[in-house]
Amino acid sequence: MIFMQKGFVTLEIILAIMIIGVLMKFAVPKAAQVIDTAALDYETKRFYSELRFVQAMSKSSPTGIKGTGNANLVTAPPILFINRTENYYQVFKSANTFIDKPIREPHYFSNGVTFKLYSGTAPTITIKFDSEGKAKINNNGNSETLVFTSRFGKNKYIRFDSVGRIRGSLNAQ
């Protein structure tokens, strides 16, 4: 009778492990998709917030102010620099990213989230705003779409209209 109890307990443990295994078969992929979607949402919203920060700094930074004597004080607007090969972005005081100290620390995208321009595959991207808050991307035209892609292929977009205003559609197409 003692052996029957030990065998019955072992059988219960095996059945419990099998049930947990079947449940995990369905739960793990769903959890991975939820984590992937959360990472994509977080990175898109954080980048959008950085764009608004750079835009606000550009509107408030003094440009073309006359100094005393022959010297003119001209400060360049801040720039958002994106390095696609190393998958990070950083805000600098001006376009000279090799000399200027950064305003913020670099932010590396979450695991699996990538970034690109809809119209191209440039390894680096620069976004700056004029004093009116209109964007200029890679010193080209203003109408552009930024694409964020998760490791499972989901996309989120940030759009700029033809005059460089952020249209901010963060939903997937």
Side-chain angles (χ1 to χ4, degrees), residues 1-158:
M1 190 154 175
I2 293 175
F3 291 111
M4 289 175 63
Q5 277 186 324
K6 285 184 179 180
F8 188 66
V9 172
T10 306
L11 184 61
E12 285 178 341
I13 292 172
I14 291 172
L15 283 174
I17 291 173
M18 288 176 59
I19 290 170
I20 291 171
V22 168
L23 291 174
M24 293 298 287
K25 179 182 178 184
F26 297 107
V28 169
K30 184 65 177 171
Q33 289 176 353
V34 168
I35 291 169
D36 186 63
T37 301
L40 183 62
D41 286 344
Y42 169 76
E43 292 300 340
T44 307
K45 289 176 182 176
R46 188 176 196 287
F47 190 83
Y48 186 79
S49 176
E50 287 292 328
L51 280 174
R52 290 293 191 188
F53 172 75
V54 172
Q55 185 181 38
M57 284 189 62
S58 297
K59 287 180 178 180
S60 65
S61 65
T63 55
I65 298 173
K66 296 276 185 186
T68 57
N70 293 331
N72 289 334
L73 173 65
V74 178
T75 58
I79 188 167
L80 185 62
F81 174 77
I82 302 125
N83 187 330
R84 290 187 56 234
T85 55
E86 295 182 27
N87 214 24
Y88 78 92
Y89 60 88
Q90 193 167 15
V91 179
F92 287 91
K93 287 183 181 178
S94 68
N96 197 346
T97 58
F98 298 108
I99 296 173
D100 286 342
K101 289 184 179 180
I103 296 173
R104 295 196 192 240
E105 294 294 320
H107 175 74
Y108 290 85
F109 288 110
S110 297
N111 186 22
V113 177
T114 58
F115 173 88
K116 71 173 189 162
L117 289 174
Y118 189 76
S119 64
T121 58
T124 59
I125 301 164
T126 57
I127 301 172
K128 58 185 170 182
F129 293 88
D130 62 14
S131 61
E132 296 175 6
K134 296 176 183 175
K136 191 163 242 161
I137 301 168
N138 282 354
N139 294 322
N140 294 332
N142 300 326
S143 180
E144 189 61 74
T145 301
L146 311 176
V147 182
F148 297 83
T149 306
S150 70
R151 65 182 164 177
F152 290 138
K154 293 181 182 177
N155 290 329
K156 292 258 182 179
Y157 304 90
I158 296 177

